[in-house]
Amino acid sequence: MKKQNLSAYDPADIPVLHNKKVAVITAQWNVEVTQSMETACVETLLKHGLTVDDIMQIPVAGSFELPYSAKHIAKNRKVDAVICIGCIIQGETRHFEFIAQATANGIMQVGLSCEIPVVFGVLTTNNMQQAMDRAGGKHGNKGTEAAVACLKLLAM
Ligand code: RBF
């Protein structure tokens, strides 16, 4: 089966969008990873018609805070979509499974309940190397992919 890697997307597949407001919420745990994803995400949104004023960048403590803040922004600010960026890395304890599960479920629920696109740009990796490989390394940048997913949903 063909591997899905939207980092190498065809720009022609994505319409240029105007007057769309997007919030990019970024967890600050493993910030070297999430910062790189956020930058790639914002650059991609800017390439496809959004302006700096259309993009709201919001830092939150960790990935566990992403669902609540996504819901808060979706309900209280005039945004057309929310992109959640985070990086959860497996440690010695079971925190990984609890945080990853809650974050994924929570983000999905916000999208369904608020009825706007809420994109899951959260890495769940075994180690830092796997995370770096996906944040501008050999597996592309999942921040770019989150932006592409968002733009495609906004164009639906
Ligand atoms: N947040 C992340 O975004 N990525 C992590 O890898 C991560 N690891 C954590 C490990 C432990 C043991 C704890 C207690 C928290 C961790 N968090 C992580 C933070 C979590 O998402 C959240 O910000 C805090 O639990 C406060 O609600």
Side-chain angles (χ1 to χ4, degrees), residues 63-64 66-67 88 98-108 120 122:
S63 294
F64 194 77
L66 289 169
I88 309 168
F98 290 110
I99 296 175
Q101 195 66 250
T103 303
N105 282 338
I107 289 173
M108 183 190 65
F120 183 71
V122 180

Side-chain angles (χ1 to χ4, degrees), residues 135-150:
K138 68 179 176 189
H139 292 302
N141 193 315
K142 301 296 171 190
T144 306
E145 301 186 28
V148 170
C150 179

